[in-house]
Amino acid sequence: MTQPRVDLDTSIGYALKQAAAALRAAMETALRPLDLTVSQYSCLELLGQRPGLSAAALARGTFVTRQSMQTLVQGLLDRGLLERAAEAPEGRALPTRLTDEGTRLLADASAVVAAVERAMVADLAPAGQRRLHADLVALAAALADRSS
Amino acid sequence: MTQPRVDLDTSIGYALKQAAAALRAAMETALRPLDLTVSQYSCLELLGQRPGLSAAALARGTFVTRQSMQTLVQGLLDRGLLERAAEAPEGRALPTRLTDEGTRLLADASAVVAAVERAMVADLAPAGQRRLHADLVALAAALADRSS
DNA sequence: GACGGTATGTCAGACTCCTGACATGACGCA
DNA sequence: TGCGTCATGTCAGGAGTCTGACATACCGTC
């Protein structure tokens, strides 16, 4: 290895962090009027597309611990946006679903987030967007099993 | 807008979050033996390449608030990795620099982080890496001034 | 049946980071 | 000179997330 250092101006990792931070900040701003945090929106969105997920599965899908997701889900339950089975149909996993109110709020939230995402990728051609998506998924896959 | 919703399977925002989470987890694992958090490493790395930055400037460069950077810097000062001017040469900004020990630790940390980054982009050709970097910077730029 | 491994839910504690607020110093402008 | 604005450092408080631990439920193997 000739120069195994990191150069901020060319580092993909730094640019990745920068883009993720910008996206998170923009989403926070967009979701504030709906009284939703980014994590709460992520939970609702995931649940909207994958109904019946357990809290642990939601945690994996939103990249937080299941303990954090637990308190997050509890808050959404208290707000009447989610409903959860009282008993586990199998194992210990408690299937969770959106309520009607949760579905309505998610529709609004999804719209504003989609607007942010469209603005983010507005300068990329459709082919470039697909390529970027594939690259990002490949980055995550290449780092799998490196976080033990 | 025909379908202004978000599809997890094609969303660039979700893939971005996924890649950033994977990178962060891999960096945490790699830096743990050096007793450094990702935020602490980011501070050291930035300071190594931009000596004399103030805490507020470090905060902007690492995407945290200046209050968080303040406590982070204080911890690194206590560990003898950083040194900070006692008085401000101009304005209120206090220039901060790495100590010799900080420079040595940064060298090790930078090496392990560089290894993570190389593994992350190993499947991309050099041209693809440059294109991805440019795309990520463009994403962040497109979202600028959307976080008020 | 007994055992170990894995996955889930849950509780408790600590840590990190944030928001809000205030004081100080530099600069521009009237 | 005085005022307003901005950037920086700092203090206090709170919200969010994590680590660690424990109990429970499935699923293998022996």
Side-chain angles (χ1 to χ4, degrees):
Chain A
M1 52 185 78
T2 56
Q3 274 287 86
R5 296 294 295 276
V6 178
D7 179 11
L8 289 183
D9 295 326
T10 61
S11 165
I12 289 180
Y14 187 76
L16 182 59
K17 188 173 177 179
Q18 182 179 20
L23 174 59
R24 183 174 189 85
M27 286 178 66
E28 280 176 357
T29 300
L31 290 170
R32 194 168 302 133
L34 298 176
D35 198 28
L36 283 177
T37 66
V38 174
S39 295
Q40 287 171 332
Y41 159 74
S42 300
C43 177
L44 292 179
E45 184 70 57
L46 195 54
L47 217 37
Q49 299 190 29
R50 312 268 198 277
L53 285 187
S54 68
L58 287 171
R60 284 190 296 271
T62 56
F63 317 108
V64 297
T65 61
R66 66 183 194 281
Q67 293 92 329
S68 300
M69 182 52 66
Q70 199 70 11
T71 62
L72 206 160
V73 163
Q74 192 59 52
L76 296 175
L77 285 171
D78 294 344
R79 283 174 65 177
L81 302 175
L82 263 52
E83 59 186 0
R84 184 161 63 165
E87 295 182 354
E90 63 171 346
R92 298 201 69 199
L94 300 174
T96 309
R97 296 179 191 285
L98 294 176
T99 61
D100 291 344
E101 187 182 349
T103 303
R104 282 193 295 271
L105 182 58
L106 172 58
D108 294 342
S110 200
V112 300
V113 169
V116 169
E117 181 154 344
R118 278 200 306 276
M120 179 174 71
V121 300
D123 292 339
L124 271 68
Q129 293 181 22
R130 285 190 296 274
R131 188 185 55 206
L132 174 57
H133 182 272
D135 284 350
L136 289 173
V137 172
L139 293 192
L143 289 177
D145 303 331
R146 246 188 126 87
S147 51
S148 56
Chain B
M1 50 184 82
T2 57
Q3 274 287 87
R5 296 293 295 275
V6 178
D7 180 11
L8 288 183
D9 295 326
T10 61
S11 165
I12 289 180
Y14 187 76
L16 182 59
K17 189 173 176 178
Q18 183 180 21
L23 174 59
R24 182 174 189 86
M27 285 177 67
E28 280 176 358
T29 300
L31 289 170
R32 193 168 303 133
L34 299 176
D35 198 29
L36 282 178
T37 66
V38 174
S39 296
Q40 287 171 333
Y41 159 73
S42 300
C43 177
L44 292 179
E45 183 69 57
L46 195 54
L47 217 38
Q49 298 191 30
R50 312 267 197 278
L53 285 186
S54 66
L58 287 170
R60 283 189 297 270
T62 56
F63 317 108
V64 297
T65 61
R66 67 184 193 278
Q67 293 92 329
S68 300
M69 182 51 66
Q70 199 70 10
T71 62
L72 207 160
V73 163
Q74 192 59 52
L76 296 175
L77 285 171
D78 294 345
R79 283 174 64 177
L81 302 175
L82 264 51
E83 58 188 359
R84 186 162 60 168
E87 295 181 354
E90 61 171 348
R92 297 200 66 199
L94 300 174
T96 310
R97 296 180 190 286
L98 295 176
T99 62
D100 291 346
E101 187 181 349
T103 302
R104 283 192 295 272
L105 182 58
L106 172 58
D108 295 342
S110 200
V112 299
V113 169
V116 169
E117 180 154 345
R118 277 200 306 274
M120 178 173 73
V121 299
D123 293 340
L124 270 68
Q129 293 182 22
R130 285 190 295 273
R131 188 183 53 206
L132 174 57
H133 183 271
D135 284 351
L136 290 173
V137 172
L139 293 192
L143 289 177
D145 303 330
R146 247 189 124 88
S147 52
S148 56

